[in-house]
């Protein structure tokens, strides 16, 4: 009976070869999947770092342009100072006789 069980479990040479090839192909697929998952994890980490960089850049741009509302007010003040300076120039020029009306 023991010999019968051994012959029932024994594989032919072809079956053995097919099993070996199936195991090799399975191992190759397993290694490929692990490599692709590792690549995916790496690329997700790169994307996360770049998202942080873009976020920080946008925050810096927001901070840089936060006071743009003051530009018209400053421009009005600069125009007033320039107009005052022109009036002084014209006055001094007339007083000194260098500027004619």
């Amino acid at each position: 009976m023991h010999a019968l069980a051994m012959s029932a479990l024994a594989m032919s040479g072809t079956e053995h070869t097919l099993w070996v090839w199936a195991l090799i192909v399975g191992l190759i697929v397993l290694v490929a999947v692990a490599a692709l998952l590792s690549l995916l994890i790496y690329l997700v980490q790169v994307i996360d770092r770049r998202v942080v960089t873009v976020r920080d850049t946008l925050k810096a741009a927001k901070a840089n342009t936060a006071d743009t509302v003051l530009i018209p007010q400053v421009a009005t003040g600069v125009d007033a100072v320039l107009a005052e300076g022109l009036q002084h120039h014209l006055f001094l020029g007339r007083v000194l006789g260098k500027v004619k009306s």
Side-chain angles (χ1 to χ4, degrees):
M1 177 108 153
H2 183 54
L4 181 62
M6 288 290 283
S7 66
L9 294 177
M11 290 188 270
S12 69
T14 306
E15 287 176 324
H16 184 297
T17 304
L18 289 175
W19 273 109
V20 168
W21 277 109
L23 291 174
I24 290 171
V25 169
L27 183 62
I28 291 171
V29 168
L30 179 67
V31 169
V33 167
L36 289 173
L37 284 175
S38 296
L39 178 64
L40 178 64
I41 290 169
Y42 170 75
L43 291 175
V44 166
Q45 289 172 345
V46 168
I47 290 169
D48 282 344
R49 283 193 304 270
R50 291 184 180 171
V51 164
V52 169
T53 303
V54 169
R55 184 199 63 207
D56 292 344
T57 302
L58 290 175
K59 283 183 180 178
K62 181 181 176 185
N64 191 28
T65 58
D67 296 326
T68 56
V69 71
L70 299 175
I71 291 174
Q73 296 169 1
V74 172
T76 302
V78 170
D79 284 345
V81 168
L82 289 175
E84 181 78 20
L86 179 60
Q87 292 302 320
H88 286 275
H89 169 73
L90 292 174
F91 174 74
L92 291 174
R94 281 190 213 112
V95 168
L96 298 174
K98 293 185 178 180
V99 176
K100 297 182 182 180
S101 303

